[in-house]
Amino acid sequence: MNLFRKGIILAALQCALVLSLTGKLLYDRATRPHVWVKTMRYDPNLPIRGRYLSLMLAPDAGDAYFDRTNNQQVVFFVPEHSVEFNGEVWAEVTIPRQGPPRPIRLGIRKDGQIQPVPVN
């Protein structure tokens, strides 16, 4: 087997791996519950800092999926010139069967309504 054929096989295996993970995440997003969870800002002690918003999920004690979302950390990458996050910041997350919640989007609560923030 020559080097070119080995490279093609390796590339195909890597593509299959990435596509299977993408399919799993899309399937979870389509079939698993989504919930809005109140957040609080969290500043990790990391050497790499950038344009991201580190949040810790802080649901109320009676909220659905409290045990799965309490004190979980999520990170949102935001554009350089994004919206100001004034007010109570909420995050919509997918609750998978296992593992931490997966963030979908951010929202700001105004007048009792959560309005999604366009950050992408």
Side-chain angles (χ1 to χ4, degrees):
M1 188 179 286
N2 63 15
L3 199 56
F4 180 74
R5 181 171 277 178
K6 287 181 183 178
I8 293 295
I9 291 172
L10 180 62
L13 287 172
Q14 288 178 342
C15 287
L17 182 67
V18 169
L19 289 174
S20 68
L21 179 61
T22 302
K24 180 194 180 315
L25 293 176
L26 289 175
Y27 177 76
D28 278 355
R29 186 170 287 182
T31 60
R32 301 299 301 163
H34 298 193
V35 293
W36 283 97
V37 182
K38 186 169 51 170
T39 65
M40 58 185 188
R41 291 175 191 222
Y42 167 75
D43 186 24
N45 188 13
L46 295 175
I48 301 173
R49 300 198 180 238
R51 293 177 291 199
Y52 66 89
L53 187 61
S54 295
L55 300 171
M56 184 173 291
L57 301 180
D60 292 329
D63 287 349
Y65 303 104
F66 172 80
D67 56 334
R68 300 283 309 276
T69 58
N70 191 31
N71 291 330
Q72 294 288 329
Q73 300 166 12
V74 293
V75 177
F76 284 91
F77 293 91
V78 294
E80 186 175 353
H81 303 290
S82 67
V83 178
E84 290 293 324
F85 294 99
N86 296 327
E88 211 174 64
V89 179
W90 289 64
E92 185 179 15
V93 296
T94 300
I95 308 295
R97 289 188 198 279
Q98 296 177 346
R102 297 186 187 119
I104 299 173
R105 60 184 172 168
L106 292 174
I108 296 179
R109 187 172 190 163
K110 292 181 184 174
D111 302 325
Q113 298 275 336
I114 299 174
Q115 300 173 352
V117 176
V119 292
N120 295 345

